[in-house]
Amino acid sequence: MKASRRVGLIGVGLMGHGIAANILRGGHALCFLDHPGNQPVEDLLGAGAVAKGSGREVAEAAEVMILCVTGSPQVEAVLFEPGGVLGGLAPGTVVIDCSTALPSSTERVAARVEAAGGRFMDAAMTRTPKEAEEGRLNLIVGAPEALFTEVRPLLECFAENIAHAGPVGAGHTLKLLHNFVSLGFTAVLAEAAAASRRAGIDDAALLDVLGKGGGGGVVLERLRPYIEAGDPSGFRFSVANALKDIGYYRTMTEDLAAEGGVAEAVLALYRQASDAGHADKSVPELVGLLEGK
């Protein structure tokens, strides 16, 4: 991939803003969709980014399109609705889907993009908005080998670790596997911390024992600030998004005829929190919600 590209971005949210900022720092031209769900974009505009009024207009100005939206329905909408990306896609344009999506939808989306003359790859993200701003995301990519090699220099603008999972769809598949493990461990730790408090165990003792034993790891460290001090900022991921991702994982296991009993229990916990009116809370706050059950 040549040194400087014209990049279009749809979804300047908590993760997309960091992606946008690092693309600009990497010397690429950037335009993005003006949308009420965007984070403040004054810094991006000041660095030379250009806002566009529709997905079609963004695509018309771009050689590479990056989608950073919530899930499969939003991906399909920004691509295929009137005024969407597909209407402005030039032959050879690369569409990179960084969302968390259903692999079955991803395969259909890729086929429609390719039929319109574009090239498609999924590049699902892990880590948090903090790492997005630092240009240190993890990406899990599904793409033909040649396209992955071509696009990798652009991805390196905003990602620290990039795994090529396999062909189109493999990135989203592996992301759902990853999120099931991460969010499943979050659910286990939240239940354990809530039970620990009800039993009168000191939070510091719980964290010490878990951290030095089988509970140690990334997820515990993301929950630690909330357990220690009621600070949920270590894991800025909402209950609503967790429910969506585990729901996608459960659908995928059904499509694969794979076992999903544990996923069903995890899904029930996040659904319970959402149904109780806590969909917008961040996942560390499950500890307090379960403690007060």
Side-chain angles (χ1 to χ4, degrees):
M1 176 169 280
K2 65 185 183 183
S4 179
R5 300 301 294 257
R6 291 180 287 109
V7 180
L9 176 64
I10 295 182
V12 190
L14 288 173
M15 302 294 278
H17 184 278
I19 291 174
N22 283 288
I23 285 170
L24 289 165
R25 293 184 194 118
H28 303 281
L30 178 73
C31 63
F32 62 88
L33 177 64
D34 189 14
H35 190 275
N38 288 349
Q39 292 291 295
V41 295
E42 288 77 11
D43 60 329
L44 304 179
L45 296 171
V50 177
K52 300 284 186 179
S54 71
R56 177 183 57 78
E57 293 175 65
V58 176
E60 287 173 344
E63 302 168 84
V64 179
M65 284 295 309
I66 298 176
L67 312 180
C68 190
V69 296
T70 304
S72 293
Q74 293 78 18
V75 169
E76 294 179 15
V78 300
L79 285 170
F80 306 135
E81 285 185 351
V85 167
L86 215 64
L89 205 68
T93 299
V94 180
V95 177
I96 305 173
D97 181 9
C98 290
S99 68
T100 300
L102 279 167
S104 56
S105 170
T106 298
E107 291 172 5
R108 294 192 300 269
V109 165
R112 290 188 64 177
V113 168
E114 289 161 9
R119 297 180 289 160
F120 182 90
M121 61 191 291
D122 41 310
M125 304 173 289
T126 69
R127 291 189 165 173
T128 71
K130 177 179 180 291
E131 285 88 13
E133 292 292 341
E134 295 169 350
R136 297 178 50 246
L137 287 173
N138 292 342
L139 293 180
I140 310 167
V141 178
E145 184 71 43
L147 182 58
F148 174 69
T149 300
E150 177 188 337
V151 175
R152 181 166 186 147
L154 176 64
L155 302 180
E156 288 173 344
C157 289
F158 57 89
E160 180 177 37
N161 300 303
I162 303 171
H164 186 202
V168 167
H172 283 153
T173 298
L174 189 50
K175 170 66 182 292
L176 292 180
L177 290 162
H178 170 277
N179 278 21
F180 168 57
V181 172
S182 175
L183 294 168
F185 196 18
T186 299
V188 169
L189 284 172
E191 278 201 358
S196 175
R197 287 177 172 181
R198 285 195 163 218
I201 301 296
D202 182 72
D203 287 339
L206 175 73
L207 290 168
D208 182 59
V209 169
L210 291 179
K212 292 176 180 176
V218 171
V219 175
L220 179 65
E221 295 312 308
R222 287 178 177 171
L223 296 183
R224 183 183 293 275
Y226 184 83
I227 296 171
E228 286 181 332
D231 175 10
S233 64
F235 199 168
R236 294 172 67 193
F237 197 78
S238 71
V239 168
N241 277 332
L243 180 60
K244 181 261 298 179
D245 285 7
I246 299 298
Y248 279 4
Y249 176 81
R250 191 67 187 96
T251 298
M252 183 179 77
T253 61
E254 290 171 352
D255 290 343
L256 295 170
E259 179 57 47
V262 174
E264 196 63 44
V266 173
L267 182 65
L269 178 64
Y270 287 111
R271 184 183 290 121
Q272 171 190 321
S274 179
D275 289 348
H278 305 300
D280 292 335
K281 297 283 181 67
S282 61
V283 291
E285 294 174 272
L286 283 172
V287 176
L289 297 174
L290 293 170
E291 181 190 7
K293 180 179 176 181

